[in-house]
Amino acid sequence: MRRTAILVVAAIIIAVGILAWLTFTRGPLAFAGGSTVALADYHESDPTGVPAELAKADIVKRGEYLAKAADCMVCHTAPGGEDYAGGLAFPLPFGTLYSTNITADKNTGIGIYSDQDFLNAVQRGLRKDGERLYPAMPYTSYTFMTDADVLAIKAYLLSLPAVPKQNQRDTLQFPFSQRWSMIFWSWAFNPNTRFAPNTEKTAAWNRGAYIAEALAHCGECHTPRNLAFALDNRWKFTGAVAAGWRAYDITSDKGTGIGAWTDDEVFAYLAKGHTVGHGAASGPMGEAVDHSLSHMEPADIRALVTYLRSIPAVASPEPATIAPPAPASPKEGGAIANALGRKVFAQACVSCHSWTGVSALSPFATISGSRAVNDPTATNVAQIVISGTHRTASGAMSMPAFGSTYTDTEIAAVANYVTGRFGSAASKLTAKDIADLRSQTAR
């Protein structure tokens, strides 16, 4: 049995290595071309760190800005739990991971972490006790952060109240439970290198690149993964499903990406989580806006827009056609035959979203024109019905969760109705699909 286990693990390690050489030949910034230099040799404004407005602030204040930009709290806070105390569950096909306590507690948190311990964890995926972190912790993106920025975040975290909360044990199945094997995964997929400015790009582009690739780690959700669960930058930012939600194409493709959006529309979506005619952010993107992007300086959001504009256009499988508003009468338009879906929509949805999909209550409740209702997989439509939207940014509008109110069959029916009435093609979700989506969300 022991020999068999060793052989299985060895085979996995070899497969990961081969796959790395065959499919992960591009770094996240390889598309840009040009020449890069070490940060110390870059003569334009420093693209790392905090905005000029905070440059003279103390390290804790700078760390607070960077921690929000890196969206640390969302993953390290369980529903109803204390900030940064960990315990958020990440269900996977082979078990469940739980985020850890990163408060200043000396027994269960990071209170006794040295600077090098913290750098190792954030940039290399290596815990203080020598165990390896799984890439649910986005250290393959955080590796591009400067030491100074990482240590500023540490200073901020240690300035907060210590929360004595034991870390929850992961439930991964063998061989995925073998943390030591992540040595080889990291060797293949983590460059363990810091951000290098591109001398042929503008200062704004480099700042946007640092925010997108290092701090905000956009690719962790928006870039598909290969068979070894590493980001496949051959399809950079073309969209993927993460934590049961679909992150859409944000390349410069005019059909399925954001190439047809104006700069102001992209800015508004990032800063507020909503753009007229393109819908509102929800799920993980809504959390990213509320807890991270909305707290950033406008100049940083503009830099991020500049960088996103440079991503090569790649059409994703999602349809490029966006349906117009539906008729005002429920007896007209698509999905008329879906009686159950129409019934649920009439009971729970029409008072806010209307039969046209254009809300009279708030632009945030307008669903006509959004990607979610025009996505024939209806992944996000179903998840919004199940979990609701819990927006906290100024002016944002939330939606109650109906996951405990309606059955999987009813939720599938209303999701199919919404995509059929307000989108370009009706989805065909089943009760089993809804059950699967429930099991994938972080909780």
Side-chain angles (χ1 to χ4, degrees):
M1 178 65 72
R2 180 180 176 83
R3 177 177 295 180
T4 300
I6 292 174
L7 290 174
V8 169
V9 173
I12 291 172
I13 292 169
I14 293 170
V16 167
I18 294 173
L19 194 62
W21 287 109
L22 293 178
T23 66
F24 195 71
T25 56
R26 302 189 66 191
L29 292 167
F31 74 92
S35 301
T36 59
V37 295
L39 189 60
D41 298 324
Y42 186 61
H43 301 300
E44 301 293 335
S45 58
D46 188 350
T48 68
V50 296
E53 294 84 349
L54 291 173
K56 295 183 180 180
D58 62 50
I59 189 172
V60 171
K61 192 68 176 177
R62 286 183 278 121
E64 180 182 13
Y65 185 91
L66 294 166
K68 289 179 179 178
D71 209 13
C72 304
M73 189 184 74
V74 168
C75 286
H76 286 276
T77 305
E82 297 189 65
D83 291 354
Y84 298 107
L88 184 67
F90 294 89
L92 299 168
F94 37 81
T96 300
L97 284 173
Y98 294 90
S99 64
T100 56
N101 185 341
I102 56 171
T103 71
D105 186 69
K106 293 183 177 180
N107 295 316
T108 61
I110 60 169
I112 60 171
Y113 270 52
S114 68
D115 286 353
Q116 190 58 55
D117 291 335
F118 196 70
L119 289 168
N120 286 341
V122 174
Q123 296 171 336
R124 297 175 56 204
L126 182 65
R127 292 191 325 204
K128 180 178 177 61
D129 62 5
E131 291 283 0
R132 292 279 170 170
L133 297 174
Y134 291 103
M137 156 63 170
Y139 59 86
T140 55
S141 294
Y142 289 159
T143 191
F144 296 110
M145 291 173 61
T146 64
D147 290 2
D149 285 354
V150 174
L151 295 180
I153 291 174
K154 175 175 179 275
Y156 169 67
L157 293 175
L158 293 184
S159 75
L160 301 176
V163 180
K165 179 184 176 183
Q166 288 293 338
N167 292 306
Q168 194 157 343
R169 195 176 189 86
D170 302 326
T171 62
L172 299 187
Q173 302 169 4
F174 182 85
F176 303 101
S177 58
Q178 304 302 298
R179 283 183 177 270
W180 63 267
S181 66
M182 294 306 298
I183 295 173
F184 302 96
W185 191 95
S186 294
W187 171 80
F189 300 116
N190 183 21
N192 189 24
T193 187
R194 308 313 148 237
F195 180 78
N198 190 318
T199 58
E200 298 181 20
K201 301 293 185 180
T202 65
W205 186 94
N206 278 292
R207 176 60 176 171
Y210 186 72
I211 293 170
E213 303 298 347
L215 292 172
H217 53 280
C218 305
E220 298 289 339
C221 288
H222 287 277
T223 296
R225 295 180 181 271
N226 60 28
L227 293 177
F229 296 98
L231 299 182
D232 187 350
N233 284 304
R234 297 175 303 166
W235 307 100
K236 182 178 179 64
F237 288 2
T238 58
V241 174
W245 291 78
R246 182 170 296 281
Y248 292 108
D249 186 336
I250 54 172
T251 72
S252 54
D253 185 77
K254 292 185 177 180
T256 61
I258 58 173
W261 296 30
T262 67
D263 287 356
D264 286 343
E265 287 175 336
V266 179
F267 177 90
Y269 197 87
L270 293 173
K272 300 179 181 179
H274 176 265
T275 293
V276 175
H278 298 294
S282 55
M285 186 62 196
E287 292 176 336
V289 171
D290 290 349
H291 299 287
S292 177
L293 295 167
S294 65
H295 296 274
M296 297 174 67
E297 290 293 328
D300 274 353
I301 301 298
R302 291 290 181 191
L304 184 53
V305 173
T306 297
Y307 177 71
L308 290 176
R309 286 299 197 207
S310 74
I311 307 299
V314 180
S316 62
E318 285 82 31
T321 302
I322 301 296
S329 171
K331 297 180 180 180
E332 301 175 13
I336 294 176
N338 185 346
L340 179 58
R342 175 179 162 182
K343 176 184 176 183
V344 175
F345 187 84
Q347 290 174 340
C349 314
V350 74
S351 61
C352 287
H353 302 297
S354 86
W355 291 110
T356 66
V358 179
S359 176
L361 297 179
S362 167
F364 279 82
T366 290
I367 57 177
S368 177
S370 70
R371 286 189 175 184
V373 301
N374 285 277
D375 176 6
T377 70
T379 299
N380 290 2
V381 171
Q383 289 287 28
I384 292 168
V385 175
I386 294 168
S387 305
T389 59
H390 310 286
R391 299 295 311 280
T392 59
S394 176
M397 184 176 184
S398 297
M399 171 181 148
F402 292 99
S404 60
T405 305
Y406 291 100
T407 66
D408 290 350
T409 298
E410 290 170 325
I411 293 174
V414 75
N416 295 338
Y417 179 80
V418 166
T419 53
R421 180 170 181 81
F422 305 107
S424 54
S427 56
K428 299 179 180 179
L429 292 179
T430 65
K432 181 182 182 303
D433 294 326
I434 301 303
D436 290 342
L437 286 175
R438 288 183 190 269
S439 70
Q440 294 175 43
T441 55
R443 54 184 184 271

